[in-house]
Amino acid sequence: DADVTQTPRNRITKTGKRIMLECSQTKGHDRMYWYRQDPGLGLRLIYYSFDVKDINKGEISDGYSVSRQAQAKFSLSLESAIPNQTALYFCATSQTSGVNNEQFFGPGTRLTVL
Amino acid sequence: RKEVEQDPGPFNVPEGATVAFNCTYSNSASQSFFWYRQDCRKEPKLLMSVYSSGNEDGRFTAQLNRASQYISLLIRDSKLSDSATYLCVVNIPRNFNKFYFGSGTKLNVKP
């Protein structure tokens, strides 16, 4: 079973709709992240959370909100989707600290806003 | 200025070739360094961490030059299966432990 899962894997929606993307992890990591990836731009950080009570904005948080329902769950919402939010969205986790604090990614959600 | 910069490529090489990618980072407070591999439309996966002394994993060798703030990845005896995009990633603990990603270097290994 995958350590980091995302649902849905693909979603097509219309402008103005509210969308929620969900992420769950079984790695026991405290830290969770949401990124979006656009061609040629690499991964850009939307929000991150270091524990259940901690939520922080990333570099492109406008138009998005998040909820950390539990250590293992971190959801991303688009309150009113717009076409330029069409992208590939990744959830990631990492350990709190340590030498090997690499990130582990979910399989991604491909979102299309028409 | 971007935190992490990479040549986007593509690098088109024949099977068996040796290919090297470089990546530069701008923040001297960067502490951890990684190379990730990403296949088309898939999630990034860790290829290797990069240690100060340099490290090797089979056909892959990573080097870190802190003075010049660059990281390199060398792939020897390229395989068709090495075709992917390679992402350079740095972590800055004192900047809320954020990870910064390069936009990736695309490698195409041809028969």
Side-chain angles (χ1 to χ4, degrees):
Chain A
D1 287 341
D3 296 317
V4 186
T5 58
Q6 292 182 234
T7 55
R9 295 293 312 278
N10 289 283
R11 181 71 183 269
I12 300 173
T13 190
K14 294 182 178 180
T15 297
K17 295 290 188 182
R18 184 178 189 275
I19 298 297
M20 179 178 285
L21 309 183
E22 303 200 17
C23 176
S24 294
Q25 54 115 346
T26 59
K27 300 192 74 67
H29 290 167
D30 288 327
R31 299 183 173 189
M32 299 187 74
Y33 308 77
W34 274 105
Y35 294 91
R36 67 177 276 176
Q37 187 174 37
D38 299 274
L41 292 180
L43 278 82
R44 292 183 292 166
L45 183 63
I46 306 172
Y47 271 96
Y48 60 104
S49 169
F50 286 174
D51 64 39
V52 175
K53 298 177 183 178
D54 178 78
I55 300 290
N56 304 283
K57 292 183 177 181
E59 59 182 303
I60 53 162
S61 58
D62 287 349
Y64 302 94
S65 62
V66 291
S67 174
R68 184 82 183 267
Q69 302 94 322
Q71 187 207 35
K73 296 185 182 295
F74 192 35
S75 59
L76 176 71
S77 294
L78 287 69
E79 297 302 325
S80 179
I82 56 177
N84 77 0
Q85 291 178 313
T86 293
L88 185 55
Y89 290 85
F90 288 108
C91 173
T93 73
S94 70
Q95 294 184 58
T96 300
S97 62
V99 175
N100 294 323
N101 62 336
E102 69 265 25
Q103 289 190 315
F104 297 85
F105 286 84
T109 295
R110 185 165 296 280
L111 177 66
T112 302
V113 183
L114 301 176
Chain B
R1 181 182 178 187
K2 290 183 179 179
E3 292 282 350
V4 180
E5 302 218 43
Q6 296 181 248
D7 181 344
F11 285 62
N12 298 308
V13 303
E15 272 187 290
T18 295
V19 61
F21 307 137
N22 287 328
C23 160
T24 57
Y25 60 94
S26 61
N27 195 323
S28 59
S30 301
Q31 289 293 325
S32 302
F33 307 89
F34 311 91
W35 283 103
Y36 277 72
R37 170 195 169 124
Q38 186 175 25
D39 294 290
C40 189
R41 298 172 180 257
K42 298 288 184 70
E43 74 271 28
K45 293 185 177 179
L46 181 68
L47 178 66
M48 57 197 304
S49 301
V50 186
Y51 303 123
S52 296
S53 56
N55 47 301
E56 185 174 312
D57 183 2
R59 298 182 293 108
F60 299 86
T61 300
Q63 297 279 352
L64 168 63
N65 185 318
R66 285 189 184 272
S68 300
Q69 296 186 187
Y70 79 80
I71 309 154
S72 64
L73 177 67
L74 181 77
I75 305 175
R76 291 180 298 277
D77 188 23
S78 299
K79 312 292 185 188
L80 296 176
S81 58
D82 293 333
S83 296
T85 296
Y86 291 83
L87 306 177
C88 174
V89 185
V90 305
N91 174 248
I92 306 176
R94 76 180 194 200
N95 192 11
F96 303 100
N97 204 47
K98 288 182 184 177
F99 292 80
Y100 295 89
F101 290 76
S103 55
T105 297
K106 187 166 177 58
L107 172 65
N108 296 317
V109 181
K110 310 283 189 183

